Amino acid sequence: MTERVNEVRDRLRACPEPSGHEGKTAAYLAAELRKAGCEVRETATGGHGVVGILKGAEPGPVVGVRGDIDALRHVVDGKEVCVHSCGHDAHAAMALALAEEAAKTGIRRGILKVFFQPAEETLAGARGMIEEGLTADLDYMFGIHLRPIQEAKAGQATAALWHGSSYQLEASVSGRTAHGARPHLGVNAIDAAVLVVNALNCVWENPVEGWSAKVTKFNSNSLISNAVPDGVDLVFDLRAQKNGVMESMLQKVSDMVINVPTGLGAVGTVKKSDGVPAAEYDPEAIALLEEAITAVLGREGLLPPIVTPGADDFHFYKRAKPSIKAGFVGLGADLTPGLHDPSMTFDANVLPDGVKILKYAVDKLLG
Ligand SMILES: [Zn+2]
Ligand SMILES: [Zn+2]
């Protein structure tokens, strides 16, 4: 298995495909799953995904394990390249090795579904799997992601990686144009939009909870500089470690976009808000993963829960079906200098341990 997981990872690393374009990766994984004896479902909603399915003879829970499979585009030395800089080649390799190991012996009860999820980076892949109805029967769902060395070293893992929620809210402010010499005849959309941005600095959530709200785009529609502009487009980037805090912020920012410009006679509109929920895990799933990590890495290898402001579309699964017992392993791999850096490297010797941790949890539920 040690050789196999690294062979698969090398194969995937040599063929990195960006979010939504994972065709070759998905075809390779589907072929390997069929060879192993898994039932295979291929998906094309939101990207190219694959699910390997094994069924036990006795009734039991439906357990999902998710490895993501997309890579990222970067510019290196002036050239555009695609790189597995988030380590999804490693996650897919561990998930495939898990499916193959489970297929060797078969599972006694319930159903194992190993998800090879596309388009994590664009937050479209999990929603694609959900739309295709592939997660409707899940009782458990486990994820795994390599961690930067600052969070976990090789030989360490956490059973609860607490991702934050991330939302982008797009808004516009419209006023009325007028000649630059006669501003009193118009309504300056920039004036009104600046007030909205200043109002954003008056958003407060509990300082004990992790959150932030900031403006990340501010574009006037004006093509000339000697007239009062009548339109501004804005984007707000919102982060929160808890879903309740995010809901509150979305409401406050939306209210400000709509209400603040009216003081100047301008009109604010929320055009769209989209994002990803924060992690919500189940104590039973966390306890099981802690037991699995301790069994594989020893007591000294088990890290406490890790809170990260980063987001992952894995959390759409539980949002779509709240009864899913979710857990997420953060696996240490001496990963430097960091995720999403095209020069990212890690110690691939940890991958078999990742497979063993997942297999331990699956065996407990389905063995
Ligand atoms: Zn990423
Ligand atoms: Zn990632």
Side-chain angles (χ1 to χ4, degrees), residues 67-148:
D68 39 15
I69 66 172
D70 51 328
L72 285 143
R73 289 182 210 268
H74 294 276
V75 175
V76 177
D77 298 332
K79 268 198 290 188
E80 191 180 316
V81 289
C82 193
V83 184
H84 267 298
S85 57
C86 205
H88 297 186
D89 50 346
H91 311 157
M94 288 188 283
L96 180 61
L98 167 74
E100 289 175 343
E101 289 297 302
K104 267 184 210 163
T105 51
I107 54 166
R108 193 166 65 81
R109 61 195 192 107
I111 298 174
L112 172 64
K113 290 178 125 178
V114 183
F115 291 81
F116 297 87
Q117 186 216 293
E120 190 286 318
E121 299 291 351
T122 52
L123 311 178
R127 285 186 273 197
M129 293 285 188
I130 293 163
E131 269 172 45
E132 297 216 14
L134 292 161
T135 60
D137 58 350
L138 290 180
D139 297 305
Y140 292 83
M141 184 61 140
F142 300 116
I144 190 164
H145 205 296
L146 302 182
R147 302 318 301 156

Side-chain angles (χ1 to χ4, degrees), residues 28 34 64 69 81 93 103 129 139 149 155 185 193 201 210 218 231 241 284 321 339 356 359:
Y28 163 74
R34 285 197 182 95
I69 66 172
V81 289
M129 293 285 188
D139 297 305
I149 195 165
L185 300 179
N201 295 326
F218 189 104
Q241 291 306 131
E284 186 196 322
K321 188 184 179 194
L339 298 166
K356 285 179 203 160
K359 182 79 172 24

